[in-house]
Amino acid sequence: MKKLIGIVAALLLVASTAFAETAIKVNGSTTVLPIMQKVVEAYMKAHPDVKISVSGGGSGNGIKSLIDGSTDIAMASRAMEQKEIDLAKSKGENPVQTVVAIDAIVPIVNPANKLEAVNLEQLKELYTGKVTSWKDLGGTGPVVVISRDTSSGTYECWENLVMKKAHVFPGALMQASNGAVVQAVSKNKNAIGYIGLGYLDASTKPLSVNGVKATAETAKSKKYPISRDLYIYTNGAPAGAVKGLVDFLLGAEGQKLVKAVGYVPLS
């Protein structure tokens, strides 16, 4: 009897270990989130033995989770900073970057707004609070500035590519996700915001920037001035079950899903 109990206990231990090896946690950017949700759904359908949880929260939070070892994959819409890499290494982590898609950050307004185009300087003036009335850009009414919050990789890319060392002014209404920005702009005729390419829909109107519309082609060629790569980070080169997921994401089927959710595949 004792021998039988020992065998059962050993089998349960093996089973629990196997489950632990196939449980993957993914956390981070809400820009990359739609890509990962689609990819994970397809991957788990083909690999029912692999359990994957996916959550947003922003690039900064995903990177923090990777550094403290609470996630296997961090989604990020901006590259890790050197101070983050140094902190990770001090904790025994080795962040490895993988580009998974291409994106464009698109300024959006309410469909009631007659504005069709802006340039980078005008965007900077809007987001520093220098321009406060749409009258200055040929419209009417006060400008309501909608921005991502500071934990967002999209926010950091916006500051680097548009603000050029200036900061978004304190009067901006900060939102925690791309979806929240879309909702805020769609409900306010005076609002302007910015989102990833995959979040464009009929509830808002995209603006061209420097005479260039944000499309898959202009984002990939970097002709569109607010283009960027999208990333995932792992602790070391992807291995085991994580490698299986990453290989699927970078493969033909995964890249088709990138395109299906509105982003630009790598090839």
Side-chain angles (χ1 to χ4, degrees):
M1 186 67 176
K2 288 182 178 179
K3 185 176 181 180
L4 179 60
I5 292 173
I7 292 172
V8 171
L11 289 173
L12 288 173
L13 178 62
V14 170
S16 65
T17 302
F19 177 79
E21 289 176 349
T22 57
I24 302 172
K25 291 183 179 180
V26 185
N27 184 25
S29 166
T30 64
T31 301
V32 185
L33 184 61
I35 295 173
M36 193 59 73
Q37 286 173 326
K38 279 286 188 183
V39 167
V40 163
E41 181 183 1
Y43 190 77
M44 286 199 297
K45 188 175 181 180
H47 303 81
D49 57 318
V50 180
K51 309 301 178 186
I52 307 169
S53 63
V54 185
S55 58
S59 298
N61 289 329
I63 290 167
K64 287 177 184 176
S65 296
L66 185 73
I67 291 171
D68 65 27
S70 62
T71 194
D72 300 294
I73 298 174
M75 302 176 289
S77 59
R78 50 96 172 165
M80 282 185 72
E81 298 173 5
Q82 188 58 50
K83 63 182 180 181
E84 292 170 328
I85 295 171
D86 293 342
L87 178 59
K89 289 184 176 179
S90 74
K91 295 188 175 185
E93 305 286 322
N94 177 32
V96 172
Q97 180 193 90
T98 302
V99 178
V100 297
I102 300 167
D103 184 28
I105 304 177
V106 189
I108 56 170
V109 294
N110 188 279
N113 194 319
K114 294 181 180 181
L115 191 67
E116 299 288 341
V118 287
N119 59 44
L120 287 174
E121 184 58 31
Q122 288 169 330
L123 285 173
K124 181 178 179 180
E125 290 179 343
L126 285 162
Y127 274 82
T128 55
K130 185 176 180 180
V131 171
T132 59
S133 173
W134 285 114
K135 184 179 179 180
D136 294 341
L137 298 176
T140 58
V143 175
V144 177
V145 174
I146 309 293
S147 176
R148 290 298 308 279
D149 59 30
T150 56
S151 69
S152 161
T154 302
Y155 173 90
E156 294 197 28
C157 287
W158 185 262
E159 281 215 321
N160 290 333
L161 298 173
V162 176
M163 306 302 288
K164 303 296 185 182
K165 297 184 179 181
H167 295 294
V168 173
F169 82 114
L173 303 177
M174 311 301 268
Q175 303 294 327
S177 67
N178 283 274
V181 173
V182 170
Q183 188 174 33
V185 174
S186 70
K187 292 182 177 181
N188 191 324
K189 67 179 182 179
N190 294 317
I192 183 170
Y194 55 87
I195 55 174
L197 194 60
Y199 281 85
L200 288 176
D201 62 26
S203 69
T204 62
K205 181 169 69 172
L207 302 177
S208 63
V209 179
N210 288 3
V212 182
K213 290 184 178 180
T215 66
E217 291 74 19
T218 60
K220 191 169 184 177
S221 68
K222 299 297 190 288
K223 183 178 179 181
Y224 180 74
I226 324 177
S227 302
R228 60 175 174 175
D229 293 334
L230 299 178
Y231 311 97
I232 58 171
Y233 285 89
T234 53
N235 179 20
V242 170
K243 185 177 187 302
L245 175 61
V246 173
D247 287 348
F248 179 81
L249 170 56
L250 296 177
E253 189 171 350
Q255 289 295 296
K256 284 181 182 178
L257 295 174
V258 167
K259 185 177 181 179
V261 298
Y263 292 103
V264 185
L266 300 176
S267 61

